[in-house]
């Protein structure tokens, strides 16, 4: 049994150079022998240096490669000896992302066994380790506890609560044989349009630092204690270093601009706290800092993180993040290793990257000293986690592995319910809360009985939302969320226990008039860039319609809003008698009922400022907030709210003109290659530009456009209709050179906006919208031109001109 430092202190001097003579791969544990070494195991630095000195280049590079389980086999593990591997948000053992917990553990054993098969050349055997994104509980595994997302824990604001959640999560991870968690996210989200806002504890860096450090301690144990990285603990990862929460307009993986000291004063604050708590891994961020991608930023990854902050663990990349570095591809990026990355997260292209790195060491591009440094950091973390113990133990033989009754145990579910209750923020209450004893309560809204929507993204699948996708019937809910209580179920239990009656009516209809209606509604689940918005408008009007319908009938209402961020909710606030920000509560919907009934005090307070306007401009701590950071009401007294303005410029879109839609150019619109010829209906090949039909939603309703270096494509109206340019596009390949968009009048001087970074960031993220307004160009004119200094392929499904409010920002 692994027991962290207590185990290491009693171990005899040894090295993990094993001779498995006659050993059956499935029973190696009892037959392995450990060759003695002149280096004491307890001497961490000397022990690891001895291992590294006896490893071949191929085995060293293997420690720096992290593939995903969908793209390699145990045979590949035995051949390449990957230092670690991961399951992505949509990955599971044996190709089954909904596999039972026992299969996760069986797979962990198989991969571990493959990683310690004897080597013919007598090299030291280095076991692999498995990393996972358990960002709100061990939520890749069916039946695990689903805790509220970080934004909710920020509203609870209790470090001890977060620490206990971290420990519970680590226990459930260890049950399935996994070693390493890619958590906590310590982003300081500054623009709530960002699709990862819910992964952030707060807009306040000090609160993020406090709660992030607490989760590290919960996952790993207290640094220096006997239980550190022992039983029921796993390796933690602070992410993403750094600036992920500060991108322009909240664009995921985008650019963070400004004075570096000012940026550090916000976005770097959580890292020293995490390091002081002993965090063993830090993940590099996708974003750029002043135009330079973090995966290639030596000044920050090495000089600041290592030199100034004193971090001595490992730095792991994010999903193919190295491929976004200037001059890099997914399979060729010495720059990242030289900048300070220790492990490449390369989900699918691991073979080619392995070969490239070996060649680059052999030709001197990468010094062996840098490889040894990175390998040393990886082995140091494995040593501290007890993974380099002299006697190799299968994951199923360690700690709490295989104790499946610990998944969603009564204790863990009670903890999750406590977290839900303590995170509820009452924004408005004219006196209808707490619910009256004996009340006849109607519960409306599609989300009320949908655990998947309440859980949000990173739940069983990357984007989440499974129950809603599958129809939200009871059988499906029981199958994919066997240890969960929906919001409706929690309310029903609480209301009936208090002598009342509760009825579920998703559409709000009823036969017997209720005393009060609770309307549960909110954002559909999303993760990462899929959740990016250009404003903070909540456009799904299901909840608004229900609230207004009850209001017209004189039935008091409580709005329970599920979201991953604060949003412009003035209309819903006006239409409700009480409004509760419930965030993304997870599997224990009864925690919401605990607050609505008054069984638990309403102590949640906003960890993000709540916007008064819909545009999305950040209001962090400013007078532009409707509700300031720290706002929230108890139920001890009424907290009514004045009538709010329902005017929203983002909903006031004027007339539009189709430039290209449904596979056709609009009337009087032409497409021409500058210096070449015309592309009739935006199809053909001229002057380095090739455009062909592409099926997005219907046959050839879109265009795929490939541009060579030095080419330009102009889309021109015969007569300008005026208005902003709105383009629905998808970037297929990253630009290899500069990329710009020009607008103005044909034959006259054009305004220019550099979009290379935006196009680089958009690559691989599906269709999205760009809006070109007078905020970033001087002249919108009759023509928009794509100018490429390198090669690029992108797709266009729609171009239109729209009248937008004068202050509308350009966005991509």
């Amino acid at each position: 049994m692994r027991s962290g430092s207590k185990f290491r202190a009693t171990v005899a001097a040894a090295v993990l150079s094993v001779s498995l003579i006659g050993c059956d791969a499935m029973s190696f544990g009892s037959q392995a022998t450990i060759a003695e070494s002149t280096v004491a195991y307890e001497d961490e630095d000397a022990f690891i240096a001895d291992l590294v000195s006896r490893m071949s280049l191929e085995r060293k590079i293997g420690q720096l490669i992290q593939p995903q389980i969908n793209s390699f086999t145990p045979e590949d593990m035995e051949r390449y000896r990957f230092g670690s591997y991961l399951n992505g948000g949509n990955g599971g053992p044996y190709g089954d992302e909904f596999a039972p917990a026992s299969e996760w553990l069986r797979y962990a054993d198989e991969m571990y066994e493959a990683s310690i098969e004897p080597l013919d050349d007598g090299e030291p055997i280095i076991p692999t380790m498995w990393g996972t994104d358990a960002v709100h509980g061990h939520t890749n595994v069916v039946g695990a506890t689903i805790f509220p997302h970080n934004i909710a824990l920020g509203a609870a604001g209790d470090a001890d609560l977060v620490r206990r959640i971290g420990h519970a999560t680590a226990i459930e991870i260890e049950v399935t044989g996994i070693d390493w968690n890619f958590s906590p996210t310590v982003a300081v989200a500054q623009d709530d349009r960002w699709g990862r806002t819910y992964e952030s504890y707060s807009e306040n860096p000090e609160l993020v630092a406090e709660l992030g450090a607490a989760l590290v301690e919960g996952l790993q144990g207290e640094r220096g204690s006997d239980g550190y990285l022992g039983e029921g603990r796993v390796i933690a990862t602070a992410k993403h270093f750094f600036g992920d929460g500060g991108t322009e307009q909240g664009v995921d993986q985008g650019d963070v601009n400004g004075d570096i000291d000012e940026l550090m004063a916000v976005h770097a604050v959580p890292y020293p706290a995490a390091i002081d708590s002993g965090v063993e891994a830090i993940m590099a961020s996708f974003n750029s800092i002043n135009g330079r991608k973090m995966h290639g930023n030596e000044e920050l990854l090495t000089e600041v993180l290592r030199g100034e902050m004193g971090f001595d663990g490992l730095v792991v990349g994010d999903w193919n993040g190295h491929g976004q570095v200037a001059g890099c591809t997914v399979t060729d990026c010495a720059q990242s290793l030289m900048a300070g990355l220790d492990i490449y997260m390369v989900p699918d292209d691991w073979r080619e990257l392995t070969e490239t790195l070996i060649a680059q060491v052999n030709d001197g591009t990468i010094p062996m000293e840098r490889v040894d440094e990175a390998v040393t950091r990886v082995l140091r973390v494995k040593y501290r986690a007890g993974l380099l113990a002299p006697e190799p133990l299968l994951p199923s033989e360690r700690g709490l592995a295989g104790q499946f009754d610990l998944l969603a145990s009564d204790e863990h579910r009670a903890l999750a319910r406590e977290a839900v209750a303590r995170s509820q923020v009452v924004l408005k209450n004219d006196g209808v809360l707490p619910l009256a004893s004996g009340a006849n309560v109607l519960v409306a809204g599609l989300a009320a009985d949908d655990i998947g929507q309440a859980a949000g993204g990173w739940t069983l699948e990357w984007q989440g939302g499974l129950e809603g996708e599958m129809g939200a019937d009871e059988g499906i809910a029981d199958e994919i969320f066997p240890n969960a209580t929906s919001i409706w179920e929690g309310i029903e239990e609480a209301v009936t226990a208090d002598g009342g009656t509760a009825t579920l009516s998703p559409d709000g209809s009823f036969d017997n008039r209720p005393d009060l209606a609770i309307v549960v509604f909110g954002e559909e689940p999303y993760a990462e860039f899929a959740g990016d918005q250009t404003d903070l408008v909540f456009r799904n009007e299901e909840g608004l319609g229900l609230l207004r319908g009850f209001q017209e009938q004189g039935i008091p209402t409580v709005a329970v809003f599920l979201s991953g961020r604060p949003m412009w909710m003035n209309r819903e606030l006006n239409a409700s008698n009480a409004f509760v920000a419930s965030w993304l509560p997870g599997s224990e919907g009864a925690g919401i009922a605990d607050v609505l009934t008054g069984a638990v005090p309403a102590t949640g307070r906003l960890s993000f400022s709540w916007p008064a306007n819909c545009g999305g401009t950040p209001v962090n701590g400013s007078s532009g907030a409707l509700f300031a950071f720290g706002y929230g009401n108890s139920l001890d007294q009424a907290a009514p709210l004045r009538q709010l303005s329902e005017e929203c410029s983002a909903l006031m879109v004027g007339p539009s003109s189709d430039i290209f839609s449904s596979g056709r150019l609009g009337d009087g619109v032409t497409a021409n290659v500058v210096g070449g010829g015309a592309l009739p209906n935006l199809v053909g090949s001229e002057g380095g530009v090739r455009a062909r039909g592409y099926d997005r939603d219907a046959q050839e309703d879109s265009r795929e456009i490939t541009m060579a270096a030095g080419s330009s494509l102009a889309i021109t109206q015969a007569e300008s209709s005026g208005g902003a340019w709105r383009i629905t596009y998808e970037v297929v390949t990253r630009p290899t050179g500069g990329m710009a968009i020009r607008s103005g009048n044909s034959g006259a001087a054009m305004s220019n906006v550099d979009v290379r970074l935006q196009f680089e960031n958009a690559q691989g993220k599906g269709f999205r919208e760009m809006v070109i307004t007078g905020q970033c160009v001087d002249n919108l004119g009759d023509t928009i031109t794509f100018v490429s200094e390198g090669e690029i392929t992108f797709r266009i499904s729609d171009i239109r001109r729209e009248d937008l409010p004068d202050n509308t920002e350009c966005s991509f």
Side-chain angles (χ1 to χ4, degrees), residues 374-423:
V375 174
T376 296
R377 292 167 178 169
V378 175
L379 299 192
R380 182 183 295 129
V381 171
K382 291 185 177 185
Y383 176 92
R384 293 172 179 173
L387 296 176
L388 298 185
E391 295 292 339
L393 290 177
L394 284 168
S396 61
E397 296 173 339
R398 306 178 203 149
L400 304 172
Q403 298 185 33
F404 301 117
D405 58 337
L406 292 175
L407 296 176
S409 66
D410 290 345
E411 180 182 356
H412 291 178
R413 292 193 65 182
L415 176 60
R417 181 170 177 169
E418 175 189 351
V420 173
R422 295 180 63 184
S423 66

Side-chain angles (χ1 to χ4, degrees), residues 14-15 37-39 44-55 124:
V15 65
S37 169
T38 58
V39 179
E44 176 182 318
D45 291 340
F47 178 79
I48 294 169
D50 180 63
L51 288 180
V52 174
S53 71
R54 295 185 292 111
M55 293 173 68

Side-chain angles (χ1 to χ4, degrees), residues 347-359:
D348 303 314
D349 298 288
W350 48 267
R351 194 188 313 269
E352 294 84 353
L353 180 61
T354 297
E355 294 169 354
T356 301
L357 288 170
I358 291 171

Side-chain angles (χ1 to χ4, degrees), residues 55-75:
M55 293 173 68
S56 66
L57 173 59
E58 289 75 12
R59 300 291 176 253
K60 290 176 181 178
I61 295 301
Q63 292 298 307
L64 313 186
I65 299 293
Q66 185 181 89
Q68 66 156 328
I69 57 178
N70 292 357
S71 72
F72 77 104
T73 65
E75 290 73 25

Side-chain angles (χ1 to χ4, degrees), residues 360-694:
Q360 289 170 332
V361 176
N362 285 329
D363 69 15
T365 301
I366 300 174
M368 182 65 81
E369 292 78 11
R370 174 64 192 111
V371 173
D372 288 349
E373 180 181 53
V375 174
T376 296
R377 292 167 178 169
V378 175
L379 299 192
R380 182 183 295 129
V381 171
K382 291 185 177 185
Y383 176 92
R384 293 172 179 173
L387 296 176
L388 298 185
E391 295 292 339
L393 290 177
L394 284 168
S396 61
E397 296 173 339
R398 306 178 203 149
L400 304 172
Q403 298 185 33
F404 301 117
D405 58 337
L406 292 175
L407 296 176
S409 66
D410 290 345
E411 180 182 356
H412 291 178
R413 292 193 65 182
L415 176 60
R417 181 170 177 169
E418 175 189 351
V420 173
R422 295 180 63 184
S423 66
Q424 301 302 293
V425 181
V426 178
L427 298 180
K428 176 184 180 180
N429 177 26
D430 69 5
V432 298
L433 293 178
L435 301 177
S437 298
N440 175 18
V441 176
L442 181 75
V443 180
L446 295 173
D449 201 29
D450 188 337
I451 295 165
Q453 184 167 351
W458 293 107
T459 306
L460 298 185
E461 287 189 330
W462 176 38
Q463 295 294 323
L466 271 173
E467 187 177 347
E469 292 175 7
M470 295 179 176
D473 64 61
E474 185 175 345
I476 289 170
D478 289 344
E479 180 181 345
I480 63 177
F481 297 114
N483 302 316
T485 300
S486 71
I487 296 169
W488 150 248
E489 290 169 334
I491 293 172
E492 179 188 32
E493 180 181 5
V495 168
T496 55
D498 201 24
T501 59
T503 303
L504 177 64
S505 174
D507 65 1
S509 61
F510 55 84
D511 294 324
N512 298 315
R513 181 182 176 89
D515 298 321
L516 177 139
I518 299 172
V519 180
V520 186
F521 65 104
E523 290 190 285
E524 295 292 331
Y526 54 80
E528 300 192 36
F529 54 81
D532 286 357
Q533 292 200 176
T534 57
D535 53 45
L536 288 177
V537 177
F538 181 64
R539 288 178 167 79
N540 185 333
E541 297 189 353
E542 178 220 3
L544 179 62
L546 288 168
L547 290 168
R548 285 178 172 172
F550 290 124
Q551 186 180 49
E552 290 171 359
Q553 298 174 77
I555 299 172
T557 55
V558 177
V560 173
F561 181 50
L562 305 177
S563 73
R565 54 188 145 208
M567 302 192 77
W568 181 76
M569 302 300 295
N570 288 16
R571 298 177 298 176
E572 291 84 354
L573 282 159
N574 284 339
S576 58
N577 296 87
F579 189 104
V580 181
S582 292
W583 314 113
L584 300 171
S587 61
E588 303 308 318
I592 293 175
D594 289 339
V595 172
L596 298 185
T597 60
V600 173
T603 58
R605 299 295 181 263
L606 291 178
S607 61
F608 286 87
S609 304
W610 195 281
N613 300 309
C614 68
T617 302
V619 293
N620 305 313
S622 75
S623 59
L626 176 61
F627 304 114
F629 172 89
Y631 180 85
N633 295 293
S634 71
L635 300 185
D636 295 337
Q637 58 186 15
L641 190 65
R642 71 184 189 278
Q643 187 74 10
L644 302 172
S645 170
E646 298 187 6
E647 183 176 311
C648 172
S649 60
L651 296 176
M652 300 168 61
V653 178
S656 66
S657 300
D658 289 339
I659 306 301
F660 175 81
S661 66
S662 300
R664 299 187 63 83
L665 290 172
D667 292 341
V669 178
T670 58
N672 295 277
V673 176
V674 178
L679 298 179
N681 204 33
L682 196 50
V683 173
S685 181
E686 287 282 345
V689 176
R690 181 169 65 88
R692 65 182 184 88
Y694 174 77

